[in-house]
């Protein structure tokens, strides 16, 4: 009879919920060659999925439903690396890698397009290059599209990569790069931090490069001699697009790595496998685990 009561109580118990912020790696900015055609596009921010009460996910979406865990079950946790900036010599950037918690996957940011190439799709889309190249498409409820490169041959600015909170800006024909889209703020760790900004677009030598989006996006470059700026580590921000400069081929900026943050009842203990780099703090009735790196895609967390 006691066993029956215990079973009934277990089956009717409230679920054990974990709030999360899962941000993928940002895309790398586009690289450029020696021909003076236009600036390269900035990388898109990594996908931004949030299940923190009162906050927002990327792409203007509301917060998701917290994840219901079962004690003793191992759940996958992966922090996506940022994509490499495009090497000099007319190469697109590389997309960012996905970040994962259990069944929640945020898509890596789209790459920035090299001159005369479009930006790539991703959590947020990469910016298109000059001349008139379109931006990459964002994943639904994770981020925004990249902008379109400027139209002028020899003066078309690269577009900004999309951010979690806004579209990447278009490049201008007047040799002005587009700014990266802004990120989204979260207070899951106890203080407000903006993450997942898009990378700024590059320009032909002498232009005005786009700035990285708020939240860690890398700035674009105005010359092939200076690489695009890197996205900030553990923000999932995009790298800046390369400049196009009079005999100097340009390199795009690397995207920033992502992050996984888990918020759960302080009565629980989270045990991570050995390849996880994380720190756990306690704030009132909750613990917050911030996972900044994973050595393999097979790392896990188990709650007890």
């Amino acid at each position: 009879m006691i066993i029956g009561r215990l079973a009934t109580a277990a089956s009717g118990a409230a679920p054990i919920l974990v709030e999360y912020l899962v941000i993928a790696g940002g895309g790398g900015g586009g690289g450029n060659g020696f021909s003076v055609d236009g600036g390269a596009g900035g990388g898109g921010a990594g996908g931004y999925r949030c299940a923190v009460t009162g906050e927002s996910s990327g792409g203007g979406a509301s917060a998701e439903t917290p994840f219901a865990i079962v004690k003793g079950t191992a759940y996958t946790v992966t922090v996506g690396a940022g994509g490499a900036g495009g090497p000099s010599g007319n190469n697109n950037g590389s997309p960012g890698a996905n970040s994962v918690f259990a069944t929640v996957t945020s898509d890596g940011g789209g790459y920035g397009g090299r001159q005369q190439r479009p930006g790539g799709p991703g959590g947020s889309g990469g910016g298109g290059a000059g001349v008139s190249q379109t931006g990459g498409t964002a994943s639904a409820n994770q981020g925004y599209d990249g902008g379109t490169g400027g139209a002028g041959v020899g003066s078309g600015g690269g577009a900004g990569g999309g951010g979690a909170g806004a579209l990447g800006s278009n490049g201008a024909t007047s040799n002005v790069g587009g700014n990266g889209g802004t990120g989204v703020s979260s207070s899951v760790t106890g203080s407000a931090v903006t993450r997942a900004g898009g990378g700024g677009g590059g320009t032909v030598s002498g232009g005005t490069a786009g700035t990285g989006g708020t939240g860690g996006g890398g700035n674009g470059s105005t010359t092939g001699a200076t690489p695009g700026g890197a996205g900030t580590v553990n923000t999932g921000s995009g790298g800046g697009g390369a400049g196009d400069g009079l005999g100097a081929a340009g390199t795009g900026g690397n995207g920033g790595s992502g992050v996984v943050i888990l918020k759960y009842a302080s009565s629980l203990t989270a045990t991570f496998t050995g390849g996880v780099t994380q720190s756990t703090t306690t704030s009132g009735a909750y613990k917050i685990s911030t996972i900044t790196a994973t050595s393999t895609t097979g790392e896990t967390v188990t709650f007890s």
Side-chain angles (χ1 to χ4, degrees):
M1 192 69 175
I2 294 175
I3 293 174
R5 286 174 181 166
L6 289 174
T8 300
S11 64
I16 303 171
L17 299 179
V18 174
E19 296 186 345
Y20 57 79
L21 176 59
V22 180
I23 305 175
N32 263 341
F34 292 96
S35 61
V36 185
D37 289 336
Y48 187 107
R49 295 185 63 177
C50 179
V52 178
T53 302
E55 296 189 354
S56 300
S57 286
S62 300
E64 301 180 2
T65 301
F67 187 81
I69 62 102
V70 175
K71 288 184 178 180
T73 299
Y75 297 100
T76 299
V77 60
T78 305
V79 174
S88 60
N90 275 346
N91 293 282
N92 293 326
S94 296
N98 296 348
S99 287
V100 179
F101 166 56
T103 60
V104 178
T105 299
S106 291
D107 298 333
Y111 60 79
R114 56 97 159 174
Q115 61 183 15
Q116 304 242 27
R117 291 294 184 273
S124 286
V131 180
S132 303
Q133 298 298 306
T134 57
T137 303
S139 301
N141 303 322
Q142 295 191 35
Y144 284 90
D145 297 349
T148 297
V153 176
S155 63
L167 295 164
S169 298
N170 296 336
T173 303
S174 54
N175 203 18
V176 175
N179 295 332
T182 57
V184 173
S185 177
S186 172
S187 297
V188 63
T189 58
S191 58
V193 179
T194 300
R195 302 176 179 88
T203 67
V204 172
S205 182
T208 302
T211 57
T214 303
N219 295 330
S221 174
T222 61
T223 171
T226 303
T232 302
V233 172
N234 293 135
T235 68
S237 296
D244 192 357
L246 303 176
T251 301
N254 295 333
S257 55
V259 68
V260 175
I261 303 175
L262 307 177
K263 180 179 179 181
Y264 48 95
S266 59
S267 59
L268 295 173
T269 297
T271 301
F272 297 88
T273 49
V276 176
T277 302
Q278 63 87 31
S279 61
T280 297
T281 60
T282 300
S283 177
Y286 295 96
K287 289 179 181 175
I288 299 98
S289 293
T290 301
I291 301 144
T292 54
T294 49
S295 61
T296 73
T297 57
E299 306 302 327
T300 64
V301 57
T302 303
F303 295 92
S304 59

